[in-house]
Amino acid sequence: MISFSRADRVSGLIQQVLSEILKKDIGDPRLKMATITEVEVSRDLRLARVYFTTPGGKQKKDEALKGFNSARGFIKRIL
């Protein structure tokens, strides 16, 4: 049996919850097509790095990044 670290379990949970938030709670059109691909959490669980993808190339990715930065406080509060 493979044992996973707590950071691995927390990162999976953050990815699930963040995907749900994007689907249900955020109305920003820049984030409608964003897909969370991975979340990396530091060992002490203080920092999380979120990776995402969007269809449409670099311009759409830059717009989605601005959307995530705009919604950062809301997302942190819900998480």
Side-chain angles (χ1 to χ4, degrees):
M1 183 164 117
I2 299 173
S3 64
F4 294 98
S5 69
R6 183 172 185 203
D8 292 337
R9 292 190 305 267
V10 170
S11 67
L13 241 139
I14 289 174
Q15 184 175 356
Q16 274 184 323
V17 172
L18 191 53
S19 295
E20 290 291 322
I21 291 170
L22 284 177
K23 276 194 269 185
K24 296 179 180 176
D25 297 331
I26 294 184
D28 193 334
R30 298 175 290 190
L31 300 177
K32 286 296 179 192
M33 297 300 290
T35 303
I36 306 301
T37 57
E38 185 179 357
V39 176
E40 289 181 357
V41 178
S42 63
R43 289 180 56 90
D44 62 357
L45 306 179
R46 292 176 66 92
L47 298 174
R49 181 170 289 200
V50 177
Y51 296 93
F52 68 93
T53 185
T54 57
K58 182 163 173 49
Q59 181 183 4
K60 292 289 186 181
K61 184 183 93 173
D62 291 341
E63 289 176 14
L65 187 58
K66 288 178 185 175
F68 275 117
N69 284 331
S70 173
R72 184 185 332 184
F74 177 74
I75 292 170
K76 281 183 174 182
R77 200 171 32 249
I78 290 180
L79 280 174

